[in-house]
Amino acid sequence: MKTVNSYNFAGKRALVRVDFNVPLNERFEITDDTRIKATIPTITKILNDGGSVILMSHLGRPKDGPTDKYSLKHLVTPLSVVFGRPVKFADDCIGQSAIEQASALQGGEILLLENLRFYKEEEKGNVEFAEKLSKLGDVWVNDAFGTAHRAHASTAVVGQFFEDRVSGFVMQAEIENAQRILEHAERPFTAIMGGSKVSDKILLIEKLLDKVDNLIIGGGMTYTFTLAEGGKIGKSISEPDKVELAKELLKKAAEKGIKIYMPVDNLCADKFSNDANRQVVATGEIPDGWEGLDIGPESAKLFKTVIESSKTVLWNGPMGVFEFPNFANGTNAIADAVVTATEENGAFSLIGGGDSASAVNNAGYGDRVSYVSTGGGALLEYMEGKTLPGVAALM
């Protein structure tokens, strides 16, 4: 796989697939610019070489073509600030106007294309659409690891129209850090799995059972495991049809000598709201009409001890509904523990994208762990051993 470092972009127009699917508030202000900042090294390298950059991305899930809410025009000003130069904007991602604007670019200039998903052909992986995109650049750079698991026109199909296909620094770092976890983990190796569904994480958990020493389970999936052990979960989120699967996972872990840590207590609420009435109860003893929205304080202490004594830590998924401040303590405690393991114990820590990345970044810990992935689903699929179309297209 050719990387940005091994390519000279002088005089070249680089068509760069980035993942600028960033959260915007009602005033169209970016509330988390992690994905944008991650691309700075790649774009800077191209510009410093004397190349020009044509940025293409999606934003949100527009259903019926162009929509102001999902227009990438909202990113022009913040991008101009980030890159310290004016960013030009094309109000379409294909067509004659886009071609003319791309052709007119001088070395050191940046052009941002309109949202790729305003065309249904993008997500369908349409070859004709990909060919139209390819007319805009001389070299294709894929730096959008977060969408690499999708065989979309801009993330995979467009590669066939370029002789020069280059991996950006984000893509390269994501793969290298995932490989370090999978192939070169120093022990003890602890994986922390949170989130709401066992079904979302089943393949990764099974893969990790051959690699980890400790597996910590938190978040909504906890309650499916609690059902598997005969406990009461009130009206907590669960997957009753995955109870047998949970039992099987616990059995496999025991057979392999892996220590599984589940919450010993839960912080419960009488409704799904930050201002709900709250109580801490032992795991398996959640009363009817109540639901678990976070791990309890004893669970946080237990998990903290395990994490802080680890040399490799993989974290994917929050411990509770961390968007509600009153139910964020468990997730914040995990973030604290991962930082301590990294800074004081020299552990290698990989935060696995999505909600975990948001939790770490919101707590101001993004630069105090080893690596924060920009790709949730893509990282999961890569670590499950699947071939990612966006990576395969670079080969």
Side-chain angles (χ1 to χ4, degrees), residues 58-90:
H58 71 286
L59 178 65
R61 297 176 181 273
K63 290 185 169 55
D64 301 304
T67 316
D68 182 72
K69 177 183 176 183
Y70 296 118
S71 174
L72 282 167
K73 70 183 181 185
H74 303 302
L75 304 191
V76 171
T77 299
L79 286 175
S80 298
V81 173
V82 167
F83 294 110
R85 66 194 74 203
V87 171
K88 301 172 189 289
F89 182 67

Side-chain angles (χ1 to χ4, degrees), residues 3-128:
T3 62
V4 168
N5 253 351
S6 64
Y7 192 87
N8 186 349
F9 292 90
K12 301 280 190 181
R13 292 171 301 144
L15 182 64
V16 187
R17 180 47 159 109
V18 288
D19 183 4
F20 285 175
N21 184 29
V22 293
L24 302 173
N25 63 20
E26 64 281 354
R27 296 185 300 277
F28 301 111
E29 296 164 338
I30 299 168
T31 57
D32 182 356
D33 63 356
T34 305
R35 287 174 171 171
I36 289 174
K37 285 183 174 173
T39 65
I40 292 174
T42 295
I43 293 166
T44 301
K45 164 67 164 72
I46 297 167
L47 298 175
N48 287 347
D49 277 1
S52 56
V53 172
I54 299 112
L55 298 170
M56 55 177 179
S57 178
H58 71 286
L59 178 65
R61 297 176 181 273
K63 290 185 169 55
D64 301 304
T67 316
D68 182 72
K69 177 183 176 183
Y70 296 118
S71 174
L72 282 167
K73 70 183 181 185
H74 303 302
L75 304 191
V76 171
T77 299
L79 286 175
S80 298
V81 173
V82 167
F83 294 110
R85 66 194 74 203
V87 171
K88 301 172 189 289
F89 182 67
D91 60 8
D92 199 349
C93 58
I94 56 172
Q96 193 56 37
S97 175
I99 290 173
E100 288 172 7
Q101 283 180 270
S103 299
L105 285 179
Q106 302 297 308
E109 292 187 327
I110 302 173
L111 173 67
L112 174 67
L113 304 178
E114 183 56 285
N115 195 336
L116 294 160
R117 288 191 183 172
F118 284 170
Y119 289 89
K120 295 195 185 303
E121 290 89 339
E122 159 66 0
E123 291 184 86
K124 290 178 179 175
N126 182 276
V127 176
E128 289 78 14

Side-chain angles (χ1 to χ4, degrees), residues 235-236 267-279 286-294 321 324 326-327:
K235 60 176 184 177
S236 304
L267 179 60
C268 304
D270 61 353
K271 62 179 178 179
F272 189 78
S273 168
N274 184 55
D275 60 4
N277 292 310
R278 307 187 296 280
Q279 64 171 319
I286 298 177
D288 292 345
W290 290 70
E291 58 187 313
L293 296 187
D294 195 8
V321 187
F324 294 159
N326 285 330
F327 299 95

